[in-house]
């Protein structure tokens, strides 16, 4: 193992310019992938924030007793779609109304017209029009329920928007990931092929395939890691700059995309080197 | 030591070797002669286990080569030396490192590597150039380095694929003298060449044309 590591380092030193070129190419490809990841992670964060606003509100008939309310609250809370149920009294509703629309509107009517309600926060996986509708349907016919609302149109639109976003993101993601994979695999392949003569000579003097592979494992690991690290640093800096200029749009920590790039680069370096070398060794017999 | 029995190598529809049979005994010196493209290198590649015959049997030191598991192939290659017309030296390593490399791949100890490498360089008369890079050497000197590399495992057989092809007549004679000397020390040699001038001495001569050994040369 010590020999393989020494051999890998001395080989990287000998082919300095070529290594720099391949590390640069890997870094550039991963940087483009990183921009995509950064945009995706942030959009995903934004979508998740929008989803948290999906709530079902059960308006209760005036005169409903505390016991009836408690029974309904318990029943609703037991549903798998429900994360949290809050009881909003008529007074609390009025207070919230005043905060949102000002004092004067409520002063115009003799008594508080706003009904008490149960506000339901859905669990993460059920924050969709289907989830909300299931909860609404289960309570709509109850005698103490006046009405159930969850912003049906808005939630449906949000669902469609999310679907379009993820479909588009998936297509673009696959295209960018394939291009990155292609560029990195070929970059590594070229560095392996550039050493074809050395590999032939190694076989000639009786080196086993495992012996030939070891230094290439470290070289692939090093090139992939360094390319990933450079791309990761660039993405992290880009994220910091975006935070300065677009603080409201940047929701996700830049560290995750950066670390993903280091991991992806290292993995592709090792796998790419292993595959290229295997193909070459097989062809050499 | 090496028996080829009815060896045929086909690429597509064309025969590279056709029904080739001969053997090389211990300490023997054999010339494999014939024009370019006759199949000389293919025979050496078959013995070096770089090329699998389409049919026929290759017996190496009493064992059928077809039964060699793939992990044993490098071990066989360490027991035979091989040299080429284009030397096949690592351009980015000096003479000493090139020769030592053949031992390094076997996992030999540092002390053993140094001692054996110096001995091999001394045997071929090139130890004074051990720090030189290959491009600083003449063709004859490079071939000496390649021979030294082939010798570090003390092979029973040395395969020489037109080792004098790129050399001037004087250097070619020196290399042949060196090979003859190695043969006198007990190493069997199979040397492919199309230089009829070099074919001399009481050695076995195998003539090959269009992939076939000429009938009167079968042994």
């Amino acid at each position: 193992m010590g020999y393989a590591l020494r051999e890998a380092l001395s080989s990287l030193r000998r082919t300095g310019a070529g290594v720099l070129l391949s590390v640069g190419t890997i870094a550039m490809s991963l940087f483009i992938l990183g921009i995509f990841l950064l945009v995706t992670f942030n959009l995903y964060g934004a979508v998740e924030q929008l989803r948290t606003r999906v709530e079902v509100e059960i308006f209760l008939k005036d005169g409903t007793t505390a016991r009836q309310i408690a029974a309904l609250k318990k029943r609703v809370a037991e549903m798998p779609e429900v994360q949290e149920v809050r009881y909003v009294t008529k007074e609390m509703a009025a207070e919230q109304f005043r905060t949102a629309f000002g004092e004067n509107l409520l002063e115009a009517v003799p008594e508080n017209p706003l009904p008490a309600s149960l506000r339901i926060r859905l669990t993460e996986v059920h924050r969709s029009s289907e989830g909300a509708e299931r909860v609404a349907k289960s309570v709509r016919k109850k005698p103490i329920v006046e009405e159930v609302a969850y912003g049906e149109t808005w939630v449906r639109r949000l669902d469609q928007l999310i679907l379009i976003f993820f479909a588009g993101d998936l297509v673009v993601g696959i295209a960018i990931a394939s291009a990155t994979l292609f560029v990195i695999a070929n970059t590594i392949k070229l560095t392996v092929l550039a050493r074809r003569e050395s590999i032939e000579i190694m076989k000639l003097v009786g080196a086993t395939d495992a012996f030939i592979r070891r230094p290439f494992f470290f070289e692939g690991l090093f090139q992939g890691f360094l390319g990933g690290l450079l791309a990761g640093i660039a993405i992290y800096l880009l994220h910091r700059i975006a935070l300065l200029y677009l603080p409201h749009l940047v929701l996700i920590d830049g560290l995750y995309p950066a670390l993903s790039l280091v991991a992806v680069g290292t993995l592709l370096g090792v796998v790419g080197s292993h595959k290229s070398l295997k193909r070459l060794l097989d062809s050499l017999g | 030591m090496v028996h080829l029995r009815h060896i045929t190598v086909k690429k597509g529809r064309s025969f590279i070797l056709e029904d080739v049979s001969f053997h090389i005994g211990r300490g023997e010196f054999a010339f494999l002669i014939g024009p370019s493209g006759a199949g000389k290198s293919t025979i050496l590649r078959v013995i070096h286990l770089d090329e699998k015959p389409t049919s026929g049997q290759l017996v190496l030191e009493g064992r059928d080569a077809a039964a060699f598991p793939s992990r044993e192939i490098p071990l066989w290659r360490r027991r035979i030396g091989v040299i080429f017309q284009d030397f096949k030296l690592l351009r980015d390593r000096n003479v000493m490192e090139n020769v030592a490399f053949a031992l390094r791949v076997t996992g030999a100890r540092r002390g053993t590597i140094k001692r054996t490498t110096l001995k091999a360089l001394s045997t071929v008369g090139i130890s004074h150039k051990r720090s030189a890079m290959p491009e600083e050497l003449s063709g004859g000197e490079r071939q000496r380095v390649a021979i030294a590399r082939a010798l570090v495992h003390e092979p029973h057989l040395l395969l020489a694929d037109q080792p004098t092809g790129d050399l001037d007549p004087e250097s070619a004679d020196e290399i042949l003298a060196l090979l003859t000397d190695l043969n006198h020390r007990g190493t069997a040699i199979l040397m492919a060449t199309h230089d009829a001038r070099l074919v001399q001495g009481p050695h076995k001569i195998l003539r090959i044309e269009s992939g076939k050994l000429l009938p009167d040369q079968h042994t």
Side-chain angles (χ1 to χ4, degrees):
Chain A
M1 195 59 81
Y3 166 75
L5 199 55
R6 273 200 308 280
E7 188 65 15
L9 289 173
S10 86
S11 159
L12 289 168
R13 233 186 358 258
R14 273 194 295 265
T15 50
V19 170
L20 283 183
L21 197 68
S22 82
V23 167
T25 310
I26 292 170
M28 192 54 82
S29 314
L30 288 174
F31 180 65
I32 294 167
L33 182 68
I35 291 176
F36 169 78
L37 286 179
L38 203 59
V39 171
T40 297
F41 283 4
N42 277 292
L43 281 176
Y44 184 76
V47 164
E48 279 307 300
Q49 273 203 353
L50 281 177
R51 273 190 189 276
T52 57
R53 293 187 198 172
V54 177
E55 274 191 349
V56 179
E57 191 156 17
I58 304 169
F59 296 105
L60 304 169
K61 285 181 179 163
D62 282 349
T64 307
T65 64
R67 207 166 150 185
Q68 286 174 311
I69 294 167
L72 182 64
K73 190 179 174 191
K74 184 169 179 286
R75 205 189 115 95
V76 170
E78 282 167 355
M79 293 181 72
E81 292 87 355
V82 175
Q83 186 179 52
E84 184 189 20
V85 187
R86 271 179 304 128
Y87 173 53
V88 179
T89 61
K90 282 173 76 71
E91 292 69 32
M92 284 159 76
E95 189 53 44
Q96 284 169 9
F97 188 90
R98 277 191 206 97
T99 313
F101 302 105
E103 295 278 339
N104 300 340
L105 278 171
L106 276 182
E107 301 307 320
V109 288
E111 61 181 272
N112 179 5
L114 299 172
S117 66
L118 290 177
R119 282 197 192 149
I120 297 157
R121 206 174 145 82
L122 300 171
T123 54
E124 209 171 315
V125 288
H126 292 105
R127 284 175 197 154
S128 63
S129 55
E130 285 86 11
E133 181 54 35
R134 263 201 304 280
V135 174
K137 204 173 164 185
S138 72
V139 295
R140 203 172 267 137
K141 298 264 171 68
K142 300 279 174 206
I144 60 166
V145 172
E146 178 79 47
E147 197 190 334
V148 185
Y150 59 89
E152 227 173 303
T153 320
W154 179 79
V155 176
R156 287 230 167 86
R157 270 202 201 132
L158 180 66
D159 280 352
Q160 284 171 352
L161 192 76
I162 289 168
L163 195 69
I164 292 168
F165 161 64
F166 279 114
D169 193 68
L170 192 69
V171 171
V172 176
I174 288 172
I176 292 179
S178 309
T180 307
L181 195 70
F182 179 78
V183 170
I184 294 178
N186 279 291
T187 306
I188 298 277
K189 189 175 165 186
L190 285 177
T191 62
V192 170
L193 284 179
R195 305 260 304 282
R196 187 191 165 100
E197 201 184 7
S198 308
I199 294 166
E200 272 180 18
I201 294 170
M202 287 186 202
K203 289 202 82 132
L204 189 80
V205 296
T208 59
D209 285 1
F211 182 89
I212 297 170
R213 271 200 198 110
R214 267 178 244 142
F216 283 92
F217 168 82
F218 287 115
E219 282 181 48
L221 182 110
F222 175 79
Q223 289 181 46
F225 173 76
L226 203 60
L229 189 66
L230 288 177
I233 290 170
I235 281 296
Y236 189 73
L237 292 177
L238 186 74
H239 177 262
R240 304 294 298 179
I241 292 166
L243 264 179
L244 286 178
Y245 293 99
L246 306 161
H248 302 297
L249 285 180
V250 182
L251 303 161
I252 299 289
D253 194 340
L255 204 59
Y256 297 119
L259 289 177
S260 308
L261 293 185
V262 179
V264 169
T266 309
L267 186 73
L268 289 182
V270 171
V271 174
S273 142
H274 176 79
K275 282 194 170 265
S276 307
L277 194 62
K278 186 175 184 313
R279 216 169 293 143
L280 181 61
L281 288 172
D282 288 348
S283 76
L284 290 174
Chain B
M1 185 167 57
V2 176
H3 287 260
L4 280 81
R5 292 177 183 148
H6 309 290
I7 293 288
T8 293
V9 174
K10 268 177 87 175
K11 298 281 178 197
R13 287 184 173 184
S14 54
F15 286 89
I16 310 299
L17 294 178
E18 193 174 351
D19 197 25
V20 170
S21 299
F22 67 85
H23 83 272
I24 303 287
R26 286 195 181 276
E28 199 167 10
F29 195 131
F31 283 108
L32 183 59
I33 60 171
S36 293
K40 302 187 293 295
S41 296
T42 307
I43 287 179
L44 300 188
R45 284 172 55 77
V46 166
I47 298 172
H48 197 246
L49 303 182
D50 286 335
E51 182 83 52
K52 255 191 182 154
T54 314
S55 63
Q57 190 187 33
L58 172 67
V59 179
L60 304 170
E61 293 183 340
R63 288 179 64 198
D64 186 348
F68 276 28
S70 56
R71 66 173 183 281
E72 270 191 38
I73 293 175
L75 304 181
W76 166 250
R77 286 178 183 152
R78 290 174 200 173
R79 287 158 67 183
I80 52 171
V82 59
I83 56 173
F84 296 90
Q85 180 175 350
D86 60 355
F87 323 121
K88 294 205 187 295
L89 298 177
L90 293 161
R91 278 174 282 188
D92 53 1
R93 288 164 209 238
N94 67 22
V95 166
M96 182 89 178
E97 288 165 341
N98 258 286
V99 177
F101 188 68
L103 285 166
R104 201 156 275 147
V105 303
T106 66
R109 290 172 181 275
R110 271 189 197 185
T112 311
I113 293 174
K114 194 174 176 188
R115 200 172 49 249
T116 313
T117 301
L118 286 172
K119 187 179 161 200
L121 288 172
S122 161
T123 304
V124 300
I126 197 93
S127 53
H128 60 292
K129 297 240 172 154
R130 59 180 174 270
S131 301
M133 297 302 283
E135 76 264 23
E136 295 164 4
L137 304 175
S138 69
E141 288 170 332
R142 286 184 209 186
Q143 197 57 285
R144 282 173 188 270
V145 177
I147 294 171
R149 184 180 61 193
L151 290 182
V152 290
H153 295 307
E154 297 178 349
H156 298 304
L157 172 65
L158 180 67
L159 302 174
D161 192 359
Q162 305 193 62
T164 58
D166 275 355
L167 305 181
D168 58 73
E170 196 182 327
S171 301
D173 288 344
E174 283 173 15
I175 294 298
L176 184 60
L178 179 58
L179 293 178
T180 307
D181 185 43
L182 292 174
N183 178 240
H184 288 153
R185 297 184 197 195
T187 308
I189 292 179
L190 177 59
M191 175 170 160
T193 181
H194 50 215
D195 186 353
R197 194 184 61 84
L198 294 174
V199 181
Q200 49 188 272
H203 304 314
K204 178 186 278 186
I205 298 172
L206 302 159
R207 291 181 200 277
I208 185 165
E209 261 183 43
S210 307
K212 292 179 187 171
L213 271 190
L214 293 186
D216 57 334
Q217 299 302 324
H218 278 242
T219 53

